[in-house]
Amino acid sequence: AEVSLFRRRAERSIESLLEATREMSVARDEGAGAALLAQLTGDLLEADAVVVMLADDLGSSKFVNVGQSNWVLAPHAVAVDLDEGGGALGDAVRRGEAVFVDDLSAGSRALPAGLQHDSARAGAFLPLPGEGGFFGVVVVVWQIRHGSFDPFARRAAELLSSQAGRAIERIRATARLAVEARTDALTSLANRRQYARALDCVVAGDAVIMLDLDHFKMVNDRHGHSAGDEVLRQLGECLRQISRDQDCVARYGGEEF
């Protein structure tokens, strides 16, 4: 009877994992992918609430909430800095393995500040692996105490985390390529291609301003091209600060903006 029960659980877990992997493979947006991962993890582990925390940048120690299921949080409202500890969440990233906590009520193993959940009794912290290390954690909570993390459930969750890590890393890589394709590498402003697209959208009542730096060649000749690059970066930052979110600020070419 025990073997039969174990086999049925295995079959259900494998089916759930295959379906979850299929769904994650078609995710195109980081937020949507994280929300989907939270939902799938909750279904797989029969959890009461799940939140996905991702590093806010490559190599960063700060993790922010990006997606959740049955957890009322505004996106990016909670930040956990692993340099300041991070409790069990930090342990999961540093050790590179799932961490189970049978009592979240107190102590260093409690949920990090901002992630408190009124009905949480037990929890699990599942790291998300990527090529450069672990860049995210799936936080899972249950409303009832668990004596241990079921080995079969742990393995299923780790497999899902591994697949999800690859999917989210792919989404991030695609997003970075999209940004690079429309951004000037020196000033981080829009490039000429993006400027042309914005110009196509100009309607009556809009404005276009063209400017350049007088005697810019003199800066390069006297102080070197690295100094000239810094001048362009500083001007780009000034233009960014005085523009609105809906404006397109672009480097047209050379010292022309």
Side-chain angles (χ1 to χ4, degrees):
E2 289 181 356
V3 170
S4 179
L5 176 63
F6 185 85
R7 187 180 66 234
R8 288 198 299 273
R9 288 186 58 199
E11 290 172 350
R12 286 198 302 270
S13 293
I14 291 171
E15 289 174 1
S16 299
L17 279 171
L18 289 173
E19 181 60 28
T21 301
R22 282 194 292 268
E23 294 188 41
M24 284 298 303
S25 68
V26 298
R28 294 290 180 267
D29 173 77
E30 181 178 292
L36 177 59
L37 173 58
Q39 176 194 329
L40 294 171
T41 304
D43 293 342
L44 182 66
L45 299 181
E46 298 179 346
D48 295 298
V50 181
V51 62
V52 177
M53 307 286 292
L54 298 180
D56 61 353
D57 200 2
L58 288 174
S60 173
S61 65
K62 185 179 292 184
F63 286 62
V64 296
N65 64 302
V66 181
Q68 55 264 340
S69 175
N70 295 329
W71 208 314
V72 182
L73 291 170
H76 293 76
V78 179
V80 178
D81 194 337
L82 300 194
D83 287 343
E84 299 175 1
L89 188 151
D91 290 344
V93 174
R94 285 186 285 270
R95 287 158 48 181
E97 62 183 30
V99 173
F100 175 75
V101 180
D102 62 353
D103 184 4
L104 290 170
S105 61
S108 62
R109 312 283 279 182
L111 290 169
L115 278 183
Q116 285 80 10
H117 194 285
D118 293 338
S119 59
R121 295 295 177 269
F125 301 81
L126 315 170
L128 292 173
E131 288 187 4
F134 294 90
F135 67 95
V137 180
V138 183
V139 182
V140 184
V141 299
W142 293 271
Q143 294 179 351
I144 59 175
R145 293 282 298 277
H146 283 227
S148 63
F149 197 2
D150 182 287
F152 207 95
R154 175 191 289 267
R155 183 56 181 155
E158 289 173 343
L159 287 170
L160 176 57
S161 297
S162 177
Q163 293 298 320
R166 294 191 184 96
I168 292 177
E169 199 167 46
R170 172 183 53 77
I171 292 170
R172 284 191 159 187
T174 302
R176 284 195 298 272
L177 287 174
V179 170
E180 291 171 1
R182 60 176 185 266
T183 303
D184 174 62
L186 179 62
T187 63
S188 297
L189 299 178
N191 59 17
R192 190 164 178 171
R193 182 186 298 109
Q194 185 69 6
Y195 158 74
R197 291 173 181 163
L199 197 62
D200 287 340
C201 299
V202 168
V203 297
D206 290 344
V208 178
I209 301 172
M210 300 290 291
L211 64 93
D212 68 3
L213 290 171
D214 293 338
H215 312 299
F216 181 69
K217 184 176 183 299
M218 189 182 302
V219 175
N220 286 329
D221 291 343
R222 288 184 177 180
H223 305 287
H225 287 278
S226 60
D229 288 348
E230 183 59 26
V231 170
L232 295 175
R233 277 192 289 266
Q234 292 289 341
L235 177 58
E237 181 59 28
C238 289
L239 293 174
R240 187 182 294 105
Q241 290 179 6
I242 64 172
S243 63
R244 302 165 300 181
D245 290 342
Q246 66 266 35
D247 296 335
C248 174
V249 184
R251 183 184 179 199
Y252 187 75
E255 72 278 21
E256 299 171 324
F257 294 79

